Amino acid sequence: MRRKLKIYLPFIGAGMQETATYRVNWIFYILGSVTGCFVSYFIWKAVFASGGGGAMNGFTMPQMTVYIFLMFVTSMIVGSDASYVVGEEVRDGTIAMRLLKPVSYNATFLFQELGNKLLTEAVLLVPLLIVLEIVRTALTGSVQFNPLCLLLYLLSCVLGYLINFFFSICFGFVAFIIKYLWGANMMKNVIVGFLSGATVPLAFLPPALEKVFLMLPFASLGYTPVMIYMNMYGGAELLYFLGLQVFWAAAFWGLSKLLWRVCVRRLSVQGG
Amino acid sequence: MKQIKRLFRMHRIFVVQELKRMTEYKGDFIVGVVGFLLAQVANLLFLWIIFTQVPDLMGWSMNEVVFIYGFSLIPKGLDHLLFDNLWNIGFFIVRKGDFDKYLTRPVDTLFHVMVEKLQIDAFGELLTGIALVCVTLPQLAISWSVLKVALALLVIPFCTLIYTGIKTITAAIAFWVKRSGNIIYMFYMVHDFAKYPVTIYNNAVRFVITYIIPFAFTAYFPAVYILRDENPLFCIGLTVLISAAVMALGIFVWHRGISAYESAGS
């Protein structure tokens, strides 16, 4: 264990340095991405105003506001670039450099990205959550903050991230078939975005569809943690959804190992 | 005149070259188009779910909202199809020092950059946009006149140039700072507001998307003239003026940028 830590800790450091270098670009990127949240906020505001102002499918307008922005924060915590990075490395052959080293392929990525995340999350997400909590208190007129929910939310986010990471690794191997990674990733992001509840809360879907979506691994990447934070799940439900997350994380971990073995055999790096 | 003819001829040569390249990668072509198509489908599902909850959105019927949404995709798609290369200026070309090649050619740099690539992915947006407009138009009670048809068609290239102008200005920042891709992204994403009726936003947002980053003129104002005969002088006239102003500013900033440009080392 100590030996492993010694091997992988430098990757965390490298990830942090990478993020620090591109911090200005990263801020512009966040500002661009958050626009979508404001658009949905105004649309939902119009919807609630047109609908008479009452609750819809269990959501009031203040809850919807929290949902929209918390979904944004969550998708950043859970987000992973693994599919793009793996795909790029397969395509340009730098994957060979990783193969030469006596370390686990997946683990090096994982720790590098964790380094990225530790820095971004500390700088941005903590203040964002505080602001969100203040807004929530102002909107509802009473303190809604629940430390237990926050802890369970973080746990659910970690599980969600692991699911997303291993799923993205699997998806990255698509590069063996499709050369246009940008297009393939865009397709993936749209589908995952919809299935995870980022486009519209799953509770607004037809009940049969909602049931199916909740079982799929993608609800774990957004909907599950957000609902936990908002205290929408009771005891048994909560355990069920956390258990489901553990199951999917394990499943994708196994699948990524398997695909890795199959793909490495097929890998042919040109030149170099 | 001869000059313009020469530019058109060159454009054709570049396009033919691009098409040849694309036939090499047919799979990519499908992936890109389907990707952008799916993005629109997801947004339409969102709209559909909303209209299962309420009959209208602050006085806008579903058909009207979908019409505005569809209309917004046409200029967006056109800009995406024709002038996508500006993103590469912001993200890679200047930073890697590859911009030097444009400077050595006997043609305007901005023109060269713009016509060099054709982004076929854009058909995902263009086709959805045209389809949505065609589907909703017969269901809307619109009073048509020859003038209105003419203005509606005429305004589309100007709407497109608002996108292109904003991209040109922000891409040109790369000449000073080497990499401006995310700055383009930050400004470009404001277009998200323009896909829906502007009246649902508060005054601050409305002011910004009308007068500061004028995306409201890429869809909402032209569409509201078509739908509800609102002041054509403002809705169409100002679109043309603002579009010309934004593009002129883009060309100005671009050429200022070129004189500040220093190639990347090595």
Side-chain angles (χ1 to χ4, degrees):
Chain A
M1 191 65 204
R2 288 248 331 246
R3 197 183 141 260
K4 286 234 156 125
L5 267 182
K6 221 176 134 189
I7 293 173
Y8 293 111
L9 274 181
F11 284 97
I12 294 188
M16 283 181 154
Q17 278 173 0
E18 217 172 57
T19 310
T21 317
Y22 294 112
R23 62 189 179 279
V24 177
N25 270 301
W26 181 76
I27 289 167
F28 287 133
Y29 177 76
I30 303 287
L31 286 175
S33 304
V34 84
T35 324
C37 289
F38 283 98
V39 176
S40 7
Y41 165 76
F42 282 109
I43 294 177
W44 281 114
K45 215 173 136 187
V47 172
F48 277 90
S50 301
M56 281 180 190
N57 294 312
F59 282 83
T60 60
M61 186 56 206
Q63 280 174 322
M64 189 56 95
T65 310
V66 173
Y67 181 91
I68 292 165
F69 288 94
L70 193 60
M71 191 52 119
F72 178 73
V73 175
T74 310
S75 61
M76 294 209 18
I77 300 180
V78 170
S80 171
D81 277 337
S83 59
Y84 200 76
V85 180
V86 173
E88 255 327 296
E89 291 209 347
V90 169
R91 200 172 61 159
D92 67 14
T94 35
I95 197 171
M97 296 312 292
R98 294 208 191 233
L99 285 170
L100 286 175
K101 292 167 193 151
V103 289
S104 155
Y105 181 74
N106 290 350
T108 54
F109 272 135
L110 184 64
F111 282 91
Q112 205 169 334
E113 201 164 63
L114 281 179
N116 273 319
K117 286 188 167 290
L118 279 176
L119 201 66
T120 53
E121 249 108 279
V123 172
L124 189 89
L125 299 176
V126 175
L128 258 179
L129 278 181
I130 293 171
V131 170
L132 200 64
E133 232 7 275
I134 294 170
V135 171
R136 181 151 81 144
T137 311
L139 283 177
T140 53
S142 62
V143 180
Q144 305 280 319
F145 179 66
N146 182 336
L148 182 65
C149 285
L150 176 66
L151 276 179
L152 288 169
Y153 165 78
L154 291 177
L155 173 68
S156 179
C157 279
V158 170
L159 288 169
Y161 170 69
L162 290 175
I163 297 172
N164 197 22
F165 176 79
F166 289 114
F167 168 72
S168 298
I169 292 266
C170 296
F171 190 83
F173 293 131
V174 162
F176 282 95
I177 310 159
I178 300 174
K179 293 281 173 286
Y180 188 34
L181 294 172
W182 199 83
N185 264 302
M186 151 131 199
M187 229 187 239
K188 182 199 101 179
N189 291 341
V190 169
I191 296 171
V192 170
F194 196 82
L195 296 178
S196 70
T199 315
V200 72
L202 299 184
F204 281 74
L205 297 172
L209 216 55
E210 185 197 351
K211 266 205 188 103
V212 177
F213 282 17
L214 281 176
M215 301 240 275
L216 293 178
F218 306 107
S220 301
L221 310 186
Y223 198 66
T224 307
V226 169
M227 293 300 266
I228 290 175
Y229 189 92
M230 292 172 67
N231 210 354
M232 304 279 243
Y233 286 150
E237 253 180 322
L238 192 89
L239 282 178
Y240 167 74
F241 282 115
L242 284 175
L244 198 63
Q245 283 192 301
V246 173
F247 166 77
W248 280 120
F252 277 118
W253 174 74
L255 188 65
S256 72
K257 286 257 171 203
L258 190 74
L259 275 179
W260 171 239
R261 257 186 222 141
V262 176
C263 288
V264 161
R265 236 172 271 150
R266 274 195 52 183
L267 179 73
S268 63
V269 174
Q270 283 122 22
Chain B
M1 199 59 218
K2 216 174 142 196
Q3 192 71 23
I4 292 171
K5 243 174 143 171
R6 177 169 164 265
L7 291 181
F8 270 108
R9 216 187 106 231
M10 268 172 37
H11 187 200
R12 212 172 52 236
I13 294 170
F14 275 116
V15 168
V16 169
Q17 208 53 37
E18 266 295 290
L19 289 175
K20 278 187 207 156
R21 197 185 62 88
M22 258 174 282
T23 51
E24 280 292 304
Y25 301 98
K26 289 192 200 73
D28 286 3
F29 164 69
I30 295 165
V31 171
V33 172
V34 173
F36 276 92
L37 204 78
L38 277 179
Q40 305 317 322
V41 170
N43 278 334
L44 286 172
L45 279 175
F46 172 58
L47 284 180
W48 176 72
I49 287 166
I50 278 176
F51 280 99
T52 59
Q53 306 290 322
V54 287
D56 67 290
L57 200 62
M58 285 176 124
W60 298 92
S61 72
M62 177 159 167
N63 278 326
E64 285 176 313
V65 173
V66 173
F67 174 81
I68 295 174
Y69 186 89
F71 188 91
S72 81
L73 291 178
I74 296 172
K76 178 172 191 264
L78 282 174
D79 166 73
H80 187 184
L81 175 72
L82 298 170
F83 309 126
D84 202 50
N85 209 19
L86 288 167
W87 287 100
N88 293 334
I89 294 285
F91 274 115
F92 314 109
I93 294 176
V94 170
R95 187 165 51 97
K96 292 188 175 165
D98 292 341
F99 191 77
D100 296 7
K101 100 174 176 202
Y102 299 99
L103 292 170
T104 61
R105 308 260 167 97
V107 60
D108 182 71
T109 46
L110 182 57
F111 175 80
H112 190 344
V113 168
M114 280 179 167
V115 300
E116 195 181 35
K117 283 245 153 61
L118 205 60
Q119 182 53 273
I120 296 292
D121 292 3
F123 278 108
E125 285 158 343
L126 264 179
L127 295 178
T128 325
I130 293 169
L132 292 179
V133 167
C134 291
V135 168
T136 49
L137 265 188
Q139 300 179 48
L140 291 159
I142 297 173
S143 58
W144 286 106
S145 65
V146 179
L147 179 71
K148 194 188 247 186
V149 177
L151 284 181
L153 290 175
L154 177 94
V155 81
I156 290 174
F158 289 99
C159 297
T160 309
L161 282 185
I162 294 178
Y163 277 96
T164 314
I166 289 172
K167 268 163 61 187
T168 308
I169 297 168
T170 45
I173 295 174
F175 293 126
W176 287 279
V177 300
K178 295 283 180 273
R179 184 181 155 139
S180 68
N182 284 330
I183 302 177
I184 310 180
Y185 179 73
M186 185 176 81
F187 282 92
Y188 186 81
M189 286 312 282
V190 175
H191 85 273
D192 244 7
F193 283 108
K195 292 177 182 168
Y196 305 100
V198 168
T199 51
I200 66 171
Y201 304 120
N202 64 17
N203 287 332
V205 172
R206 260 191 253 184
F207 183 80
V208 169
I209 61 174
T210 308
Y211 298 108
I212 313 282
I213 312 168
F215 277 116
F217 290 97
T218 62
Y220 173 73
F221 286 122
V224 90
Y225 162 68
I226 299 171
L227 287 172
R228 297 185 172 181
D229 290 294
E230 260 174 56
N231 187 359
L233 214 57
F234 182 86
C235 290
I236 305 293
L238 207 54
T239 304
V240 172
L241 273 183
I242 283 188
S243 160
V246 170
M247 199 59 224
L249 184 63
I251 293 170
F252 173 74
V253 175
W254 180 274
H255 288 287
R256 283 297 290 271
I258 299 249
S259 31
Y261 171 71
E262 292 168 354
S263 187
S266 85

